[in-house]
Amino acid sequence: MGLTYEVAAGRVLAPFFGTSLLTWTTVIATVLGGFSLGSALGGIVAERPRAAALRIVRSALVATAVLMAVSPTLLGLVHAWGARGTGGMMLSVVLVFFPASVCVTLPSPLLAKLAIEARPGREGSSLGFVLAAGSVGAIFGAILAGFVTLPLIGSTATFAACGAVALLCLPPIRGGHKRNPGVTLAAAGFVAFAGLAGSPACQYESGLSCLHVVQRGAEVRLVSDGTVQAAERVTRVEAESGTIELVLSYTAWLWARLERDLGPKASVLFVGGGGYTLPTKLLASRPNARAVAVEIDPLVTKVVRRHMPGAADMIAQTGYDASEDDGAGGRLGIVHADGRVFLNETDQRFDAAVMDAFSSGSVPAHLVTRETFARLRKIVDGPVYVNLLDTPDGPLTRGVHAILRALYPNVEAVQGGVNARGRANILLAASFRPLEPLDSLPNGYGRSEISDARAFTDDRGWIGHR
């Protein structure tokens, strides 16, 4: 139960603070800190008279159930009160997830003591069995959260389920004093209400993504973990003519480069499917072009097919599963896999590649290393384009820029407008041949000067930032 709660905590943070090494480190440290304090307090409780100890343990389980079930709501409240950035994320994690982590572990020392007392003379094996049972339960809880509850019922219901399990531990704990069934029933009712009536953290949720679809008139936006991943605007005139308007400015720059640099029969690899807007634009504009889009989460593709009509039509007309067939009759190959795994395993060759994969508001670390781009260089004969979210001349930009400069003789960088969090789209193009200048840049974009830095490697890579 404790590990299920911990994994769910990392997932429910994503819509508010994204998911990165920093968020997961904070969650793990906070929950383990709660486990440690709970075990220490539980040891003190275990030394008290049996009746008092049992009474405290039952109260701790009831508190665990309530605190776990209410965690998503508390997180939303703390965020609404203004918690932002790294400091706000850390404060939110401690306030929301630390108390339940203390309460859930408090009964453990008493249970270990009871197990030892039940087998006089065999204290060592009894304690070993208790510790082993705890480890097995942790393994089962982590697997249950990652493979079952979060993908199937979502994070809000997973928290409620953790609370329900805590209440189910009450009946075996007998003795001490006359029970108060009213408190238990009230807690059970609260947990059920939180699970059934609580607002879901995500409109669409999988173990990888927390997705929302925002529609404003003719514009549809796909938001993943609080970051806009793609947008599409299809008016009646565009729908009748089969053209696609690119809404996000960074996609307009990427398309301008693709249009300038590639021939009519280009084969392009897109690492990061997102809303499939760029592959759709490419194939709609060039009838002889082909594309392969690598999207790690099948849920993203399902949501795009349901809510983004332009991309959905292109997928329906010419999409195929590139992991199973060679695409005879299709021009848009879709692969549901990690981008790095695909790069390592594919034997296909491409004329260009677009690196546009994001996990929340940042690029996965294993996709911005020297080894990744060295592999790209082997399978891509032409230019490579990269979209980053970073502060101007930030550490992520400097590290990726250093990689590209070491691998390609020609590297170009432009920067979009800076948002309220001080971050901007940083776009890089790297090529063996000189890059012809574009006639114009999207509004708010200009040339970016990037400082020298150490190139990221698999051993010393990007760790993420807030």
Side-chain angles (χ1 to χ4, degrees), residues 404-436:
L404 296 177
R405 287 189 61 189
L407 294 174
Y408 295 91
N410 302 286
V411 180
E412 176 184 352
V414 299
Q415 174 188 312
V418 179
N419 63 21
R421 298 173 61 186
R423 301 169 70 188
N425 283 99
I426 313 293
L427 302 170
L428 304 172
S431 176
F432 299 110
R433 299 178 179 179
L435 292 160
E436 296 183 18

Side-chain angles (χ1 to χ4, degrees), residues 233-291:
R233 184 186 298 120
V234 181
T235 65
R236 185 172 62 182
V237 173
E238 291 166 339
E240 292 174 352
S241 62
T243 60
I244 299 296
E245 179 184 353
L246 295 173
V247 178
L248 301 182
S249 55
Y250 87 88
T251 60
W253 185 86
L254 288 172
W255 169 244
R257 282 256 57 111
L258 288 166
E259 191 174 34
R260 175 61 60 88
D261 300 336
L262 303 182
K265 297 182 179 181
S267 173
V268 183
L269 170 65
F270 294 87
V271 178
Y276 293 88
T277 50
L278 273 173
T280 298
K281 181 71 172 179
L282 172 70
L283 300 182
S285 303
R286 302 194 174 189
N288 294 318
R290 296 177 64 88

Side-chain angles (χ1 to χ4, degrees), residues 372-393:
T372 299
F373 285 96
R375 176 58 183 164
L376 266 177
R377 194 172 185 267
K378 291 181 178 180
I379 65 173
V380 177
D381 299 322
V384 171
Y385 311 99
V386 185
N387 175 35
L388 305 173
L389 275 177
D390 197 9
T391 55
D393 197 26

Side-chain angles (χ1 to χ4, degrees), residues 201-221:
C202 313
Q203 184 180 357
Y204 298 97
E205 185 172 7
S206 70
L208 297 168
S209 304
C210 176
L211 303 175
H212 291 85
V213 176
V214 180
Q215 185 157 4
R216 298 175 180 173
E219 182 176 308
V220 181
R221 292 197 169 199

Side-chain angles (χ1 to χ4, degrees), residues 30 74 78 90-99:
T30 299
L74 289 177
V78 174
M90 298 177 70
L91 177 64
S92 300
V93 171
V94 172
L95 290 178
V96 175
F97 302 113
F98 186 78

Side-chain angles (χ1 to χ4, degrees), residues 178-202:
K178 185 177 180 180
R179 302 180 189 181
N180 186 349
V183 174
T184 303
L185 289 174
F190 178 82
V191 169
F193 176 80
L196 297 175
S199 299
C202 313

Side-chain angles (χ1 to χ4, degrees), residues 50-260:
R50 179 67 56 83
L54 290 172
R55 183 170 63 249
I56 294 172
V57 164
R58 282 195 291 266
S59 298
L61 288 173
V62 172
T64 297
V66 173
L67 289 170
M68 285 185 169
V70 79
S71 293
T73 302
L74 289 177
L75 183 61
L77 289 175
V78 174
H79 187 266
W81 291 336
R84 298 293 187 275
T86 302
M89 180 270 293
M90 298 177 70
L91 177 64
S92 300
V93 171
V94 172
L95 290 178
V96 175
F97 302 113
F98 186 78
S101 302
V102 173
C103 292
V104 74
T105 320
L106 192 144
S108 298
L110 177 60
L111 297 177
K113 180 181 179 182
L114 294 176
I116 292 172
E117 292 176 350
R119 304 173 72 210
R122 307 184 69 177
E123 290 83 0
S125 61
S126 296
L127 181 59
F129 290 147
V130 169
L131 295 176
S135 297
V136 170
I139 294 169
F140 178 77
I143 294 174
L144 184 67
F147 288 91
V148 182
T149 61
L150 288 174
L152 295 182
I153 64 175
S155 52
T156 300
T158 296
F159 283 113
C162 289
V165 171
L167 294 178
L168 290 175
C169 295
L170 288 173
I173 302 177
R174 300 174 181 175
H177 76 299
K178 185 177 180 180
R179 302 180 189 181
N180 186 349
V183 174
T184 303
L185 289 174
F190 178 82
V191 169
F193 176 80
L196 297 175
S199 299
C202 313
Q203 184 180 357
Y204 298 97
E205 185 172 7
S206 70
L208 297 168
S209 304
C210 176
L211 303 175
H212 291 85
V213 176
V214 180
Q215 185 157 4
R216 298 175 180 173
E219 182 176 308
V220 181
R221 292 197 169 199
L222 178 65
V223 181
S224 177
D225 293 338
T227 300
V228 177
Q229 296 286 344
E232 182 182 291
R233 184 186 298 120
V234 181
T235 65
R236 185 172 62 182
V237 173
E238 291 166 339
E240 292 174 352
S241 62
T243 60
I244 299 296
E245 179 184 353
L246 295 173
V247 178
L248 301 182
S249 55
Y250 87 88
T251 60
W253 185 86
L254 288 172
W255 169 244
R257 282 256 57 111
L258 288 166
E259 191 174 34
R260 175 61 60 88

